[in-house]
């Protein structure tokens, strides 16, 4: 069976006037970098990727060799294409402007190079998450200096977002604002083939994903929602629920967009602002989930409407099947 490749898919979007050639090339370059990361992740212990490099990143987490390598792969792949003004990574304290010897483009790229990297050693899925914004223009009509301030735009300004999951297969999910579409890496042709077009999240489901070891620290609305799920058939929901937690957001979100459910990393008494990063995790995933017919909130506010205050800002995340997310939001006073 002949399937649409990512390149064909993007060219069709360009012909339809939805994206320009620069954005098409940018997404193709990110996809190419994800292939390279997938190969390295696949080497497992043979590649030494799970080893700690003994350095803490800006998030205070110990970096693994594969975190560093994935970051370098994405930086090197993207800095010379001429379509970016600057890049920002979860692994780097400050944004990285495009070196002056390369042409500067109109886009800003943010990425979490290897999400779920604590799972490398135990052969569980990891992934890459990315978000694309336009570099704002100043009063003179020229693009602004691509400093941290330029990146601090709400998620509803994203022009593209996506994530790769390095699991039993490598899957890339992409949105340019007209639905969410999934591509599987064909290891024979080494191209991404469209296998999950027009992903739609079922509105109502019976599966939740949350790290229940934090239960004692949750706020009342989240506790109420989970208690009601746990009460099963005899409780107020009148049905049994199932629980899944991979501890790689990419894998959990791919499951949620594939068969429905809710994913939550709420704020709690330890992580008062939440644990996940607004710019590298919450915004791109919220964009994809909404494009797949789901919803994403931090509890009271739609994630995509939050005005970021910092590049590495953390945020509470509740996303997935619309009715379930709306229920959690309705429990918040
Ligand atoms: P790492 O990249 O440090 O492994 O963090 C992954 C993550 O940001 C996200 O992908 C998971 O959903 C979440 O953290 C897992 O958190 P817990 O350690 O609390 O399970």
């Amino acid at each position: 069976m002949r399937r649409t490749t990512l390149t064909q898919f993007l060219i069709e979007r360009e012909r339809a006037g939805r994206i320009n050639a620069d954005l098409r090339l940018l997404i193709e370059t990110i996809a190419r970098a994800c292939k390279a990361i997938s190969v390295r992740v696949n080497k497992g212990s043979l590649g030494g990727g799970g080893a700690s490099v003994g350095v803490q990143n800006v998030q205070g987490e110990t970096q693994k060799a594969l975190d560093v390598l994935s970051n370098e792969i994405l930086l090197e792949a993207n800095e010379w294409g001429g379509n970016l003004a600057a890049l920002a990574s979860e692994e780097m304290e400050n944004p990285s402007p495009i070196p002056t010897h390369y042409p500067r483009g109109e886009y800003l790229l943010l990425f979490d190079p290897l999400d779920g990297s604590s799972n490398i050693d135990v052969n569980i899925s990891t992934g890459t998450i990315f978000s694309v914004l336009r570099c704002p223009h100043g009063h003179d009509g020229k693009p602004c200096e691509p400093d941290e301030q330029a990146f601090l735009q709400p998620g509803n300004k994203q022009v593209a977002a996506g994530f790769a999951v390095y699991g039993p297969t490598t899957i890339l999910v992409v949105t340019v604002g007209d639905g969410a579409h999934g591509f599987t890496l064909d290891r024979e042709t080494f191209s991404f083939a469209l296998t999950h077009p027009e992903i739609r999240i079922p509105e109502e489901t019976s599966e939740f994903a949350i790290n229940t070891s934090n239960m004692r620290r949750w706020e009342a609305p989240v506790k109420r929602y989970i208690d009601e799920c746990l009460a099963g058939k005899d409780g107020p929901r009148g049905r049994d629920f199932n629980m899944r937690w991979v501890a790689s957001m990419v894998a959990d979100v791919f499951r949620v967009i594939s068969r429905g459910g809710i994913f939550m990393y709420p704020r709690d008494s330890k992580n008062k602002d939440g644990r996940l990063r607004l710019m590298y995790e919450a915004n791109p995933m919220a964009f994809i989930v909404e494009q797949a017919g789901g919803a994403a909130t931090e509890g009271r506010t739609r994630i995509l409407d939050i005005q970021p205050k910092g590049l590495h800002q953390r945020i509470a995340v509740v996303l997935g099947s619309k009715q379930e997310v709306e229920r959690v939001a309705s429990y918040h006073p």
Side-chain angles (χ1 to χ4, degrees), residues 310-321:
L311 209 46
H312 298 287
Q313 180 178 342
R314 293 181 189 254
I315 194 85
V317 174
V318 177
L319 60 76
S321 295

Side-chain angles (χ1 to χ4, degrees), residues 61 67 90 112 114-119 129 211 213-214 245-250 252 263 265 275-277 281:
E61 298 157 346
D67 283 318
E90 193 203 281
D112 176 356
L114 201 62
D115 182 67
S117 55
S118 59
N119 278 329
I129 311 174
N211 183 345
S213 70
N214 295 322
W245 185 250
V246 184
S248 276
M249 189 187 197
V250 285
D252 279 315
F263 168 93
Y265 214 119
R275 166 149 167 16
L276 303 179
R277 294 81 177 170
E281 293 169 312

Side-chain angles (χ1 to χ4, degrees), residues 137-271:
H137 285 233
H139 295 305
D140 56 2
K142 292 193 183 138
C144 297
E145 200 39 43
D147 53 11
E148 173 162 353
Q149 196 55 40
F151 282 87
L152 301 184
Q153 306 178 41
N156 57 37
K157 296 270 195 245
Q158 291 172 105
V159 292
F163 66 97
V165 190
Y166 311 122
T169 55
T170 288
I171 291 189
L172 179 71
V173 178
V174 174
T175 183
V176 292
D178 66 345
H181 311 276
F183 301 81
T184 302
L185 181 61
D186 180 334
R187 297 232 170 234
E188 282 158 26
T189 59
F190 219 53
S191 64
F192 278 111
L194 182 61
T195 45
H196 300 68
E198 307 287 353
I199 298 171
R200 298 307 292 171
I201 307 179
E203 286 205 357
E204 204 189 351
T205 62
S206 302
E207 209 166 72
F208 63 87
I210 192 165
N211 183 345
T212 46
S213 70
N214 295 322
M215 189 180 268
R216 68 191 183 285
R217 303 192 190 103
W218 293 340
E219 292 179 342
V222 170
K223 178 110 180 34
R224 175 180 168 194
Y225 177 81
I226 296 298
D227 281 347
E228 288 179 1
C229 292
L230 294 176
K233 264 212 279 294
D234 304 326
R237 302 301 306 271
R239 63 182 197 270
D240 289 337
F241 279 74
N242 204 350
M243 193 202 87
R244 292 284 182 273
W245 185 250
V246 184
S248 276
M249 189 187 197
V250 285
D252 279 315
V253 171
F254 187 71
R255 187 190 59 254
V256 165
I257 64 173
S258 301
R259 67 178 190 212
I262 189 166
F263 168 93
M264 294 193 265
Y265 214 119
R267 65 180 76 76
D268 59 37
S269 58
K270 186 175 166 211
N271 298 297

